[in-house]
Amino acid sequence: MIKKILHSRILKAIIASVAIIVATLAIAMIFGGHNPDSKISRTSMPWEIEPVAGGGSRIFGLTLGQSTLGDAIDQLGESLQVAIITPLNTTAESPENGSPPSALEAYMDPMRTQFLSGRLIISIQVSPEDLRTWRERSVQHHKSDTGAHLDTLSRDDLLNARRAMITGLTYIPGAKIDESIIQARFGNDGSKHQINPDLTEWYFPSKGLAISLNSKGRDLLQYVAPKDFDVRLGAQSLPLKQPSR
């Protein structure tokens, strides 16, 4: 009798333990996990754009036009990848086919906040002279899936690059979004532009935000300081440029 009672209690304990494990795994799947190195709040979401005095904005804890690459590394952790990006068939000195020249970017994949997962690309302001020098001293060269050249900075050059200012962010959501989500999360004050049958873009100048929905490609959310919107993401920039990564 005692053996049966003990056996029953042990069985119940095992079942309870399994249930806890399953529940924990389910929560991790729903919320997408979290980068243990990241100091960004799990409640930071792509639609939480905080106005900053002087025409700036803050997204994911980073203030565009003020925060530096060093701030981003401190916020997101050492898993943030930093490299000089040169699009395919382009050099820093002589871009071809209208492609942008080389640029310094920081990249995180996946970028997880609360129940969302996506990719984050951070645009960093660096002089052409520094880019050229850092490329020559880079310690690793490889290509992205798009064919772009990626050059990893040396340790000393990365230390110098930490002082460079962040000018923009590109967030690529892991799941497709649609017009109803845009209106629900970002409001109805944006202007809609039908670029072609597969590509639609929304502009929110007061938020410094442009959204690109591509039925045959990746959706993009691009952020700049609102005061810089007309120059960096205005109508003359249609359509938005796809990231080189």
Side-chain angles (χ1 to χ4, degrees), residues 17 29 43 47-49 63 81 99 113-114 130 132 145 149 160 174-175 196 203 217 222-223 228 238:
S17 298
M29 291 176 66
T43 60
W47 51 83
E48 294 179 344
I49 303 171
T63 302
Q81 303 173 47
S99 298
T113 59
Q114 201 168 345
D130 282 339
R132 189 178 303 111
D145 294 338
H149 297 272
N160 289 327
N196 59 51
Y203 277 24
Q222 297 191 357
Y223 307 85
D228 298 329
L238 289 169

Side-chain angles (χ1 to χ4, degrees), residues 4 12 78 84 104 123 133 156 177 204:
K4 287 184 178 180
K12 288 180 180 179
E78 295 297 331
I84 296 173
L104 184 65
S123 300
T133 301
D156 289 342
I177 58 177
F204 296 84

Side-chain angles (χ1 to χ4, degrees), residues 25-101:
L25 291 174
I27 291 171
M29 291 176 66
I30 291 171
F31 287 91
H34 187 60
N35 175 12
D37 293 332
S38 177
K39 296 178 183 178
I40 284 188
S41 169
R42 294 186 65 162
T43 60
S44 296
M45 304 299 283
W47 51 83
E48 294 179 344
I49 303 171
E50 179 185 349
V52 174
S57 59
R58 183 177 296 112
I59 307 99
F60 300 129
L62 301 172
T63 302
L64 304 182
Q66 295 182 23
S67 294
T68 64
L69 173 58
D71 295 327
I73 294 173
D74 292 341
Q75 287 277 354
L76 294 165
E78 295 297 331
S79 57
L80 191 68
Q81 303 173 47
V82 181
I84 296 173
I85 312 297
T86 306
L88 187 64
N89 299 325
T90 306
T91 65
E93 294 76 21
S94 56
E96 300 174 6
N97 303 324
S99 298

